[in-house]
Amino acid sequence: MPNIKNIQSLRCMKDILDESSELFTYFIDNASNIAKRYGFSYLETPILEETILFKRSVGESSDIVGKEMYQFIDKGENDVCLRPEGTAGIVRMFVQNKLDRAGGIRKYFYHGPMFRYERPQKGRLREFHQFGCEVFGESSVYEDANIILMINEILSFFEIDYKLQLNSLGCKECMPNYKENLVEHLNDLSLCEDCDRRITTNPIRVLDCKNETCQTELKDAPKITNSLCDTCDIDFEKLKIILDKNLISYEIDSNLVRGLDYYTKTAFEFVSNNIGAQSAIAGGGRYDRLVEFLGGRETSAIGFAIGVERLLELIQVNKEDKEILYIGAMCEDAIDTVFTKVSKKRKTNIVITDYKVRGFGKHLNNAQKQGATIVALIGDNELESDTIWIKNIKSKEEQTLKIDQF
Ligand code: HAM
């Protein structure tokens, strides 16, 4: 029997509390507000889904499905797994609810835990959180630009520096020809074992192999951006023009293929230089064929997800802006007044208290430990005169007010 006292959280799975949870909710609240302004509505889908969903969407040849899924057979003999990402479940929901037949444009945002059994590394968790958005039914390249502008707005709100890497992966017209040329080229190279396998399963994944020898071998590989059909080429050029006009800088990376198999046309990643090797803070792109792959009608779609934990490494809550009120009792009889006052004040303020009688110094100490900016105390004298003593921690200003005016 393991010692009960030694039960720990699983490796690469973290509790989120105190300062981290404050940052976490600060991010989710503000990113959600931005998403709502862009016309997205909140959506929840289950964390557990049938394994086949991810095999069909993310792709059997991807590392996520091939190596990293938390997959098991449940008590009803169903082959299920914890979602490794959010898009597949949302497309499943879209098809299941026949929204592909209803027409029109639908925009959803979501946030929640994702699970990937990855090799432990800084910035790489096995349970992590994503904040994401998905748009269905809009094929205009202006929507691609809109999504990128929105991520830019979220990252700028939190004052995060980033580099945007951009590529186009073509469509069902141009991608097959490109793949054929690529395979012909790859067959003559000496690549790592993984890449050799990918040549038959999904050759474009070879392009983003992290192995240095493979990257050197790949230097003359054909580029997808040189093989786009007219429509994809025009759209990609148009996207670049819109981004230029809106002062969004980007780098074209024709090896950016993303680790999930469902992308078509625009693909992008937002990376930061300030968080180590796992530098991708957000990624996404178009997936115009996925609704059809999952049994629905062909529907244009585009989306992205931000890795919340990676982003939180880069932001700070501006505590200066936040007012936290601490109300305390210095005698037994004051607890009742404190209780009433705290309940009233909580309608508009962040209020902390502990309903214990403490001396003046203990209360001040307690308040400061919990980050209070204003301390309000009631003792015998204050009770007698119907007043409350107040101190602004930052300016050190003190005053006594009539309790009704507080
Ligand atoms: P993804 O690039 O696999 O895309 O994940 C998005 C973000 O999640 C990454 O940029 C990264 O910040 C974060 N992330 C991924 N794996 C981990 C990990 N092990 N630990 C910590 N953070 C991680 C997707 O998941 C797509 N569903 C995005 C999308 C939405 N495409 C279209 N719509």
Side-chain angles (χ1 to χ4, degrees):
M1 248 324 234
N3 184 346
I4 296 270
K5 277 192 187 147
N6 283 337
I7 298 177
Q8 308 271 310
S9 63
L10 297 176
R11 196 159 184 210
C12 300
M13 298 202 178
K14 283 190 177 168
D15 301 311
I16 302 173
L17 68 158
D18 293 341
E19 298 247 312
S20 310
S21 64
E22 201 176 326
L23 267 182
F24 192 94
T25 49
Y26 174 69
F27 169 72
I28 297 292
D29 290 350
N30 287 292
S32 302
N33 284 340
I34 294 173
K36 284 181 204 159
R37 272 202 283 109
Y38 277 73
F40 288 83
S41 60
Y42 184 66
L43 168 80
E44 289 255 3
T45 59
I47 289 170
L48 206 57
E49 297 269 7
E50 278 194 73
T51 303
I52 186 80
L53 171 66
F54 301 105
K55 285 191 173 170
R56 286 230 182 115
S57 53
V58 176
E60 298 209 47
S61 71
S62 68
D63 286 352
I64 297 178
V65 170
K67 303 179 183 168
E68 299 167 1
M69 296 235 278
Y70 278 86
Q71 182 183 352
F72 59 96
I73 305 295
D74 75 5
K75 291 194 168 80
E77 300 293 310
N78 305 299
D79 186 350
V80 296
C81 71
L82 295 174
R83 64 182 181 193
E85 59 103 52
T87 312
I90 295 176
V91 176
R92 193 264 313 132
M93 175 288 298
F94 187 79
V95 176
Q96 184 174 339
N97 288 288
K98 300 190 172 52
L99 300 177
D100 54 326
R101 286 153 196 267
I105 295 168
R106 287 177 192 261
K107 296 177 149 199
Y108 300 105
F109 78 95
Y110 58 96
H111 49 82
M114 309 293 159
F115 301 83
R116 297 182 192 175
Y117 194 90
E118 294 204 66
R119 231 176 345 100
Q121 194 182 5
K122 186 175 178 328
R124 222 195 238 157
L125 294 165
R126 289 181 176 164
E127 182 188 20
F128 60 98
H129 294 76
Q130 286 186 344
F131 177 93
C133 288
E134 313 291 348
V135 180
F136 294 96
E138 179 59 273
S139 58
S140 165
V141 72
Y142 277 98
E143 191 57 49
D144 304 38
N146 187 46
I147 286 287
I148 289 174
L149 255 64
M150 178 178 163
I151 304 171
N152 169 66
E153 185 169 337
I154 295 176
L155 299 183
S156 304
F157 179 90
F158 297 105
E159 297 176 4
I160 290 169
D161 287 334
Y162 66 80
K163 266 199 299 205
L164 166 60
Q165 295 169 339
L166 197 60
N167 195 15
S168 173
L169 297 176
C171 64
K172 62 180 175 191
E173 304 302 327
C174 46
M175 186 41 113
N177 283 343
Y178 171 70
K179 273 191 185 163
E180 236 171 73
N181 291 341
L182 183 66
V183 169
E184 221 169 89
H185 181 87
L186 297 178
N187 278 331
D188 294 336
L189 306 182
S190 75
L191 301 165
C192 72
E193 233 176 76
D194 270 350
C195 284
D196 277 343
R197 190 174 35 82
R198 284 176 188 140
I199 294 177
T200 41
T201 54
N202 189 1
I204 64 162
R205 287 293 323 283
V206 171
L207 295 174
D208 78 345
C209 177
K210 301 290 175 278
N211 184 315
E212 270 178 33
T213 326
C214 291
Q215 278 308 323
T216 321
E217 285 281 303
L218 286 165
K219 66 180 186 327
D220 296 324
K223 291 188 186 325
I224 173 74
T225 37
N226 294 335
S227 310
L228 297 175
C229 62
D230 285 352
T231 318
C232 289
D233 196 36
I234 292 168
D235 277 352
F236 196 41
E237 287 309 311
K238 179 96 199 217
L239 175 62
K240 289 190 257 177
I241 293 169
I242 307 171
L243 295 179
D244 290 338
K245 273 195 184 156
N246 286 277
L247 307 177
I248 303 285
S249 341
Y250 53 85
E251 288 167 4
I252 302 299
D253 178 355
S254 46
N255 284 350
L256 177 79
V257 295
R258 310 266 303 122
L260 309 98
D261 289 354
Y262 49 63
Y263 291 106
T264 52
K265 299 181 94 174
T266 308
F268 54 79
E269 253 170 35
F270 286 71
V271 296
S272 160
N273 288 333
N274 305 322
I275 46 168
Q278 295 307 312
S279 58
I281 40 181
R286 254 193 192 281
Y287 50 95
D288 290 344
R289 307 204 63 199
L290 187 53
V291 173
E292 201 186 340
F293 282 162
L294 293 179
R297 284 191 184 161
E298 192 173 332
T299 306
S300 305
I302 180 167
F304 71 91
I306 294 175
V308 179
E309 283 83 357
R310 287 193 193 164
L311 192 112
L312 295 192
E313 292 270 307
L314 300 165
I315 66 176
Q316 282 176 351
V317 178
N318 194 351
K319 286 202 167 158
E320 309 259 300
D321 293 348
K322 210 157 72 176
E323 191 177 273
I324 301 177
L325 182 60
Y326 178 100
I327 309 182
M330 293 192 293
C331 64
E332 198 65 39
D333 290 347
I335 294 183
D336 201 45
T337 317
V338 164
F339 183 82
T340 314
K341 218 53 205 168
V342 166
S343 309
K344 272 195 191 153
K345 278 285 177 196
R346 279 196 175 135
K347 293 192 170 40
T348 49
N349 293 64
I350 305 173
V351 188
I352 45 183
T353 187
D354 68 0
Y355 310 118
K356 275 204 185 76
V357 176
R358 292 181 197 276
F360 180 78
K362 276 250 166 75
H363 268 312
L364 271 184
N365 229 333
N366 211 9
Q368 267 167 318
K369 260 195 214 151
Q370 296 181 69
T373 53
I374 295 180
V375 182
L377 301 177
I378 306 175
D380 283 326
N381 292 345
E382 286 77 17
L383 265 189
E384 233 167 69
S385 54
D386 264 345
T387 56
I388 187 163
W389 176 89
I390 298 160
K391 176 168 180 168
N392 183 319
I393 299 283
K394 216 164 87 196
S395 67
K396 300 202 166 43
E397 211 177 292
E398 295 177 17
Q399 58 179 322
T400 302
L401 279 183
K402 276 286 181 203
I403 190 105
D404 300 343
Q405 291 166 358
F406 169 60

